[in-house]
Amino acid sequence: MDRPSPARPPAGLLIAAATLAWPWLVTRWPLAGGWPWLVMLVGLAAWRLPAGHRRWAAWLGIPVVLLAAGGQASLVIRLWPVLINAVLLGLFARSLRHPPSAIERLARRRTPDLPPSGVRYTYRVTQLWCAFFAVNGTLALATVIHGDPALWSLYNGGLAYLAMALLFAGEWLVRQRVKKRAS
């Protein structure tokens, strides 16, 4: 009798776990000056992009290869959180100029008939996340410029996630009050 194959975690879950562990991984195992991590980074980025947008991986890969070839692989690795924050800031900010906002899109998955007050609220929350990504990206860049690997790892592998969790929790609490007041 054939045994069923074990369930494999979805690719998105693996990438999320790798992203969360990134600062810890690259400071604990600085493989061959960073080259293996860079190959993995660009490969994951290319793999996760929609087929029509994979050319962006080449645009990411070109400066990565040039910096790494110039002996700056560790710099590229440390700049990854800065890049992630910049991309998220760009996506969220663009959604403010071209509605629906990023948070409204997420809210409509659960509440398709979102009232106008909900649309206004989600717009404000999207603005809040834009501010978060700007501040978080700036602090991540400051840790790169400072040059202390322990500080970089502490902030990008711990404090940034703590700040994000606090923002999620705080927004959830405010949302509950807003919903209660609206009903």
Side-chain angles (χ1 to χ4, degrees):
M1 178 182 259
D2 289 335
R3 290 187 340 206
S5 63
R8 292 184 347 184
L13 185 60
L14 290 173
I15 289 175
T19 300
L20 290 172
W22 183 256
W24 183 81
L25 288 171
V26 300
T27 54
R28 298 300 179 261
W29 293 302
L31 304 173
W35 273 94
W37 292 121
L38 291 177
V39 169
M40 182 185 78
L41 186 68
V42 174
L44 282 174
W47 177 52
R48 291 304 296 164
L49 286 171
H53 294 83
R54 291 214 171 111
R55 69 182 178 280
W56 291 105
W59 286 108
L60 173 64
I62 292 169
V64 164
V65 167
L66 291 175
L67 283 167
Q72 297 298 320
S74 65
L75 174 64
V76 176
I77 289 169
R78 290 189 320 255
L79 283 171
W80 185 248
V82 178
L83 177 65
I84 293 297
N85 279 281
V87 167
L88 290 171
L89 173 59
L91 291 171
F92 276 57
R94 186 177 190 286
S95 79
L96 292 172
R97 292 187 50 98
H98 304 284
S101 70
I103 301 298
E104 180 184 343
R105 288 179 194 153
L106 292 172
R108 285 193 184 276
R109 289 181 179 179
R110 179 162 269 200
T111 311
D113 55 341
L114 195 63
S117 62
V119 172
R120 285 189 301 276
Y121 178 79
T122 58
Y123 186 87
R124 291 288 185 200
V125 173
T126 303
Q127 288 177 320
L128 177 64
W129 277 103
C130 284
F132 174 83
F133 293 133
V135 170
N136 193 46
T138 300
L139 290 172
L141 181 59
T143 65
V144 172
I145 292 169
H146 188 267
D148 180 3
L151 176 64
W152 180 87
S153 187
L154 173 66
Y155 182 77
N156 293 291
L159 297 177
Y161 294 123
L162 177 62
M164 192 179 307
L166 290 172
L167 181 55
F168 271 119
E171 188 279 322
W172 183 84
L173 290 171
V174 169
R175 184 175 354 127
Q176 300 315 304
R177 292 181 69 188
V178 167
K179 282 181 174 181
K180 188 176 180 182
R181 213 177 316 145
S183 59

